[in-house]
Structure formats: structure tokens, C-alpha cells
Amino acid sequence: MGKAKIGFDLQDKIGAIDDRVYGTFAEHLGRMIYNGIYEPKHPLADKQGFRTDVLEAVKALNIPIIRYPGGNFVSGYNWEDGVGPKKKRPKRLELAWSAVETNEVGIHEFADWCEKVGTKIMMAVNLGTRGMDDARRLMEYCNFPGGTELSDWRIKNGRKEPFGIKLWCLGNEMDGPWQMGHKTAKEYGRVACETSKLLKLLDPESETVACGSSNRDMCTYKQWEREVLQECYEVVDYLSLHQYFAPSNVDGDHRSYLTLAENMDAFIREVVEICDEVGKAKGSDKKINLSFDEWNVWYHSSEQDKQIPRWQVAPPQLEDIYNEEDAVLFATMLNTLISHCDRVKVACLAQLVNVIAPIMTKPGGGMFLQTIYYPYFYASNYGRGEALRPDITCTKYDCAKFKGAKAMHVSGVLNRDGELFVMAANRSGEAEEVTLTVKGGDVASVIECKRLSGDAKAGNSFENPNNIAPVAAECKITEEGVTFTAPAESVHFIRLALKK
Ligand code: AHR
């Protein structure tokens, strides 16, 4: 067994974590909306057709913000199709995912659901088949109090108070050849600049996110960031990053797969460097922060999705069933976002229900929580406050794609309740005996210590919903520090009370 030391110094802070780092994403895709959050015929549906069991599971995640309505979907979406009397709403072919969109859920219904859940919308606009005029109209419809055609239309459609949406994504993955309305960096940079200008003329308090690369392996990566920022640096607030990990990223090597957060870390560092380079070249005082607005593990469903017939309503697409090892990688991705809280101000777990999701539902039936639900649950509920820099000494390992990786991957947050919340993943193949110390404060007690571990390939299901779920684990306060044993490929969630 290896020996690990994790040291925190209460004075050594990375920075304040923006709550929006614990955002998620809800796209009109597969069974995310229809037969996910919305299923009017379900016995547990409320008057508006929202499943109350799903609502409760989502509420428990305490989500600050949800990106909506896409994703690739948004690049072909006419938001007007989803407002007004439901019976009059058109059914449309949805080209991004080869499905049929019924438009039963639109902005009004989604905003109502968000209110029930206690979250806010991060709105994405269609810069694919549409453009800046559409974005302007959508913002006026959503946010203007009344007295204009569009705001009065909202009121007529049942919503007197504006939706008050403050965070706006300027399109989605516009660098991707698969995207409807795909653009070159120069073309997109100009559109992003002019769209952001219009949105800010309408609401100067709104913030905008320009599209960065769809992932770090795009052949246009870096050049895209530079050229886009060249055009829109002064008028946007954030640049986006997207990244999904799969064993295929590392030729199927198991240990390398569990180490992929290193690539996420490098991705963030590189994009920060580019933002600052462009800012410097422009002689600007402004800093562009990052919005990591799609991240997750995604691969289990890729083959089965090829068999799904086209043009169905709510087909079962992207229904990954996650296992224990996915949750370990997932926790290290979350740790990485926390460790970059000085520049990553928004992040969205993609997605929320059924579609590469922490929550799975059966039409007319039950639901279960996936393995990845738990790291997200703990971080979102207990990881709000200031991130501390962990000082880690532990076993190192080499694998096919990474050399000298640390077994322990850890984040520590001095949260708003004055607790120290620690998420500690052991991504190696050997157990580590861990001693955790806190400089500048004494640990008074262990409020909670849970561990997620077990068969790396096992997950949860409707039949066996708690197969892989956190269980109470031993964590002792000793003279040396707080000690616990981290089995191979496990995650600990530890909440420590500090002496006043
Ligand atoms: O989250 C699924 C898809 O992944 C999104 O629609 C797209 O933006 C990304 O490629």
C-alpha cells in the first residue's frame, strides 16, 4: 500500500469558486426533455407534466445554472416554435440529431421547471441557421418588461415578469464541421462580436460566451481561439471549452483513461494562455474568463446509437450507463474545474437526465441515479466557497499515455459553512494510506466521510439502483492528521469541521 500526504494551508487559496462552476446542461436531445423531465402521462407528473420524482433528484443537486436548449440542437432551432398555445406549436424535423421535435416544451415551460428546481437559465442562441437579429429578438422576448411587440407577446403567452436571463451563449460549437451553420474562425468571430454587441445594447448587465473549440483535438484548436478572440475580445465575457472523455482517447488503456483529467488541465491552461496573449497584444486590461460549458464522460452509447431509426420523437440517444471507473475520472474532472476556479467561472455538466446523464428514467416507471451523480452531488452541495491549493505527496505511476501521474487527485474547498470539503480520488491501481493535514486551523470533527468504490465495470440500473453508491468510510483524527485508506480507483467525499 502506498502512503500519501495531502496538506492544506487555510491561507493558500486558489480563489473564490463561482457557484456557476456547478452548472449543467439540458438539450432538446433524446430523452433529456421529453420522457426525461417532462412526461405528462407519468403517474408522478405535476399539473404541467413535469415528473416530480425527477424534480426532486435534480433539486438535490442544487444546480445554479442550466445551459439550454442546446447543444447542436440550438443551431437549427426557431425559438418561436416553442411559445404560444401548445396545440398550435409545429412539429419539426430536428436535423442535428435526426429526430422530430414536438415543441411541447419551450422557453416558458423550461423556465417554469427551472423555477421549481431552483435554478437559472444560461441561454444559447442560434447562430447556425439564424443570426444576430434572432438573438436580439429572443432577448427582448425574454427580458424586456413590456410595451414592445416581443415583450407583449411574452406577456400574452402567460408570463408577465421577464425571465431575467443574464448569461448568453453565442451559438454552439461553431468550429465543428457537423454544426449547422459551421463557420470559419474569422466568420464566427465577427458574428459573435456583433451579436454580443446587440445583446449588451439591449441589456448591459448581460454576459456573453463566445464559442471556443469543441474539444482539444480539433485540428483548428488554438488558431480558432486566437482568431475568434481577435474579433470579439472586447465585447464578450467568456470563451467556451467542451470536452468529453472516452477510453478511445487513449487507445483503450485503462490507467490512461483514469488519468485523462491531465488533458483537461492542460486544455484549460492553454486556453487561458491564449486569452491572455490576445489581451496583451491588444493592450487590453480586460481578462477573458472561461466557460467549460460541456464536460463529461461519453462513450458507452456510441455504438448502440448508430442503430436508432431516424425521425422519432425523443429517441433513446446518448444513454450511457456509467460505471465506477467513470465516476473516478468524473470526480477528477470536477477537481480540475475547482482547481482552476480563478479562471473557469462557469462549467456545465453535459447533460442532466437520460442523455449522458447522472439521472436515468423509465417512461411510466422509476428512475435511478448513476455513479457520476455522487461526485457532482457532493461538490455542488459542499464545494461552494474558496478553493484551497492541495499539496500532495503520494505514489506516482506511469501508464501508456502519462508519465509520473500522481495516484491521488484532490480538491479542497473551505466552504461557506466553514467546513473543509475534500474530494479525494485515488486513480491508481494500488490503495493509498492517506494522512491529511490542515495548516492554520484544527480539525474539530469529521462531519461526513463517504467512499465510492467497487467493481470498476459495475454501475447502477433500474433493478439495482444502489449497486455503486457512496458508503460510510472510516476517517480518523489522529496526532498526525486525518487518516483514511483510499482503495485503488475510489473517491472519498470528506467534510471536516474546523475549530473556531
Ligand atoms: O452534449 C451532446 C452534444 O455534444 C452537444 O449537442 C454538442 O454541443 C456536443 O458535441
Side-chain angles (χ1 to χ4, degrees), residues 218-236:
M218 296 296 294
C219 62
T220 48
Y221 172 49
K222 291 190 177 174
Q223 195 51 33
W224 173 271
E225 277 72 7
R226 286 194 189 99
E227 284 186 36
V228 167
L229 287 177
Q230 193 57 37
E231 300 300 328
C232 65
Y233 193 92
E234 291 300 344
V235 293
V236 303

Side-chain angles (χ1 to χ4, degrees), residues 25 27 29 71-72 97 172-173 178 242 244 294 298 318 350-351 356:
F25 174 36
E27 178 167 6
L29 157 58
N72 296 338
W97 300 101
N172 176 70
E173 296 189 347
W178 59 87
H242 290 181
Y244 295 97
E294 285 188 37
W298 173 11
L318 279 66
Q351 300 195 11
I356 40 173

Side-chain angles (χ1 to χ4, degrees), residues 220-406:
T220 48
Y221 172 49
K222 291 190 177 174
Q223 195 51 33
W224 173 271
E225 277 72 7
R226 286 194 189 99
E227 284 186 36
V228 167
L229 287 177
Q230 193 57 37
E231 300 300 328
C232 65
Y233 193 92
E234 291 300 344
V235 293
V236 303
D237 302 280
Y238 307 97
L239 187 66
S240 77
L241 297 84
H242 290 181
Q243 188 72 59
Y244 295 97
F245 286 137
S248 58
N249 295 128
V250 285
D251 304 329
D253 180 63
H254 171 72
R255 191 67 49 216
S256 302
Y257 171 65
L258 288 182
T259 316
L260 273 166
E262 300 299 322
N263 284 2
M264 186 184 199
D265 181 72
F267 192 13
I268 295 171
R269 287 179 197 280
E270 289 159 2
V271 176
V272 165
E273 209 177 295
I274 294 170
C275 290
D276 293 351
E277 255 171 40
V278 176
K280 197 170 166 205
K282 284 184 174 288
S284 173
D285 292 337
K286 181 180 173 179
K287 241 186 202 160
I288 297 284
N289 284 319
L290 309 190
S291 172
F292 213 121
D293 47 40
E294 285 188 37
W295 68 271
N296 201 349
V297 167
W298 173 11
Y299 66 98
H300 294 279
S301 58
S302 306
E303 279 309 306
Q304 76 215 29
D305 280 5
K306 292 180 189 154
Q307 312 304 322
I308 296 176
R310 282 149 67 87
W311 315 129
Q312 295 183 71
V313 174
Q317 292 165 318
L318 279 66
E319 299 206 356
D320 273 38
I321 301 301
Y322 293 108
N323 58 33
E324 198 272 341
E325 65 177 7
D326 298 327
V328 176
L329 171 58
F330 182 96
T332 62
M333 293 178 85
L334 258 174
N335 281 344
T336 305
L337 293 169
I338 293 169
S339 73
H340 284 286
C341 67
D342 52 336
R343 293 304 289 268
V344 178
K345 300 295 175 187
V346 182
C348 303
L349 158 62
Q351 300 195 11
L352 186 54
V353 181
N354 292 327
V355 172
I356 40 173
I359 300 167
M360 297 301 292
T361 71
K362 190 184 266 178
M367 47 164 277
F368 72 91
L369 307 179
Q370 297 238 46
T371 59
I372 61 167
Y373 183 94
Y374 298 103
Y376 183 83
F377 169 87
Y378 275 97
S380 176
N381 280 290
Y382 302 110
R384 304 209 184 187
E386 294 175 297
L388 301 179
R389 205 179 313 280
D391 179 14
I392 306 169
T393 316
C394 64
T395 308
K396 288 185 177 171
Y397 60 88
D398 292 340
C399 52
K401 302 288 175 184
F402 302 95
K403 299 285 165 247
K406 285 187 176 174

